[in-house]
Amino acid sequence: STSQLFSYKHYKNIEISMLGDYQLENAALAIQCLDAIKNKGFNLSESAVYTGMKNAHWGSRFEIVNSNPV
């Protein structure tokens, strides 16, 4: 799999493209930060959160470059 799904707070089935349990924790922290700035008046749509999470990518950082063999 090249992505992971998770839910956090009221966000359900968030897809992230980075693998690893720690990436789920990183994404949850990012969402917590986004909610904090939204509470301070920053205009950010819920769809932008989903899109940003899905499109975030850190190439060549523990990236699987081949599947057979891994």
Side-chain angles (χ1 to χ4, degrees), residues 4-51:
Q4 301 185 86
L5 289 176
F6 76 105
S7 296
Y8 181 71
K9 297 174 98 177
H10 65 279
Y11 299 95
K12 305 298 180 205
N13 297 316
I14 305 161
E15 182 179 1
I16 62 170
S17 299
M18 293 180 268
L19 301 178
D21 291 343
Y22 62 95
Q23 294 295 2
L24 299 174
E25 294 173 12
N26 291 343
L29 178 59
I31 289 171
Q32 189 68 35
C33 293
L34 292 172
D35 281 352
I37 64 171
K38 283 172 58 177
N39 289 337
K40 296 292 183 184
F42 187 78
N43 186 16
L44 180 67
S45 70
E46 194 165 300
S47 65
V49 174
Y50 283 94
T51 300

